[in-house]
Amino acid sequence: MKFINAVLTAAILLVGYSPFATKACELTYLVIANQAEPFQINTSNHQSNSGIISDVVNLLAAKKPFSYTTHVMPFKRYVHEIKKQTYRNWISYGSPMWRTNTDNGYQNKRLSKQPLFRASHLLVQRSNDTQHYQQVEDLFGKTVILLKGFDYPGLAPHIASGQIKKIDFKSHQSALNALNNQRGDLFVEMESRIRYAIKQHNIDPNAFKFTDIAHITPSLNIHLAFGNGVKQTTVDWIDDQIIIMKATGKLEAIINRYQ
């Protein structure tokens, strides 16, 4: 307890020094359209944004010297724009576990030191499916449903070799419906995203069985991610803010909002 209080006190003192004292920091917040719920949630006309990452960014912006504009785009274009460095001062989210992917690695080159939360993966199968998936070899010859454009550590090499077949869908709702309609054998995705989609789209959870597959696709830390143009003083300031958000329970409150 003394250690936590000391960390919180030190972090609050650091806020007294603002790297933006002379000029406001202006960033571009990159949002993935319709595939990143509940991390990033946007309306069909992209006029309103919410979600765990969006709420964190908004809370940072409430500190006054931090401001941002939002750009919403499909995931494929999102990765393309980051790779092309269209927006140098961008902020979004990423994970160290995604750095090895040649296509999506650009999103994860520069991350906050402080993780926001840890995400685990679930394997979803129809409730009447008696197959048990205890190791990755149990998936060989099966058709796995995934979100279009996304890759999953532990599965990617076996998909590339053809040992596991895959079929892609653009949303969690369409992926779950496809599984229910037997267009694939199973669906793999982050637990928070699956449970959010089931709740938001009034899908019957009893139609499915859920298995934690940390032994196949490991859980991972989610961090804020930054473009090359973002000043290190800005990144350091944000890391200090994350420490404070954790210590004061504000980050936990944001995460609980979407469960």
Side-chain angles (χ1 to χ4, degrees), residues 19-20 25-27 66 91 110 226 229-241:
F20 320 114
C25 177
E26 298 181 1
L27 302 182
F66 179 99
I91 183 171
R110 196 176 180 202
F226 307 95
V230 181
K231 293 182 179 180
Q232 187 59 45
T233 51
T234 302
V235 177
D236 293 341
W237 178 81
I238 288 175
D239 267 313
D240 292 338
Q241 298 302 315

Side-chain angles (χ1 to χ4, degrees), residues 1-8:
M1 181 62 70
K2 289 183 179 179
F3 174 75
I4 294 175
N5 289 335
V7 171
L8 176 57

Side-chain angles (χ1 to χ4, degrees), residues 19-228:
F20 320 114
T22 58
K23 184 179 180 181
C25 177
E26 298 181 1
L27 302 182
T28 300
Y29 176 42
L30 300 182
V31 175
I32 300 170
N34 306 319
Q35 285 187 298
E37 302 92 342
F39 299 173
Q40 296 175 319
I41 305 167
N42 51 88
T43 58
S44 58
N45 59 2
H46 305 326
Q47 295 302 305
S48 177
N49 295 289
S50 59
I52 297 173
I53 306 299
S54 299
D55 287 1
V56 168
V57 171
N58 191 53
L59 188 58
L60 291 170
K63 300 294 183 178
K64 300 302 182 185
F66 179 99
S67 63
Y68 68 94
T69 56
T70 301
H71 286 267
V72 182
M73 59 194 75
F75 182 67
K76 187 174 181 179
R77 182 185 158 203
Y78 168 95
V79 173
H80 174 74
E81 298 294 353
I82 289 176
K83 181 178 180 180
K84 198 170 67 171
Q85 298 192 52
T86 302
Y87 312 98
R88 285 186 53 79
N89 293 337
W90 62 265
I91 183 171
S92 192
Y93 73 95
S95 175
M97 287 289 291
W98 297 335
R99 279 176 171 156
T100 56
N101 183 278
T102 54
D103 292 327
N104 305 348
Y106 298 93
Q107 176 188 352
N108 313 287
K109 282 186 175 181
R110 196 176 180 202
L111 303 173
S112 60
K113 291 181 181 177
Q114 294 292 324
L116 297 176
F117 56 90
R118 194 160 183 83
S120 59
H121 293 82
L122 288 181
L123 182 150
V124 187
Q125 58 192 118
R126 291 179 293 277
S127 58
N128 60 357
D129 183 357
T130 60
Q131 177 73 43
H132 295 284
Y133 299 97
Q134 298 180 340
Q135 53 189 359
V136 70
E137 287 79 10
D138 294 334
L139 277 64
F140 290 0
K142 301 291 184 179
T143 299
V144 177
I145 296 171
L146 300 175
L147 283 191
K148 187 175 181 62
F150 287 69
D151 291 287
Y152 301 81
L155 295 181
H158 303 292
I159 291 173
S161 68
Q163 293 170 306
I164 299 174
K165 300 176 183 178
K166 74 163 182 171
I167 181 170
D168 296 322
F169 288 88
K170 293 184 178 180
S171 71
H172 298 88
Q173 182 183 16
S174 59
L176 288 164
N177 288 336
L179 177 61
N180 202 29
N181 294 327
Q182 301 185 39
R183 296 184 64 183
D185 298 302
L186 47 101
F187 174 39
V188 171
E189 180 52 291
M190 292 182 189
E191 179 176 7
S192 57
R193 291 179 172 178
I194 291 172
R195 297 198 185 281
Y196 181 83
I198 287 174
K199 183 178 180 180
Q200 289 299 306
H201 300 292
N202 297 315
I203 298 172
D204 182 9
N206 295 318
F208 306 105
K209 293 191 291 189
F210 306 92
T211 304
D212 183 283
I213 53 169
H215 54 295
I216 296 176
T217 298
S219 58
L220 47 84
N221 285 329
I222 300 297
H223 299 242
L224 289 178
F226 307 95
N228 292 336

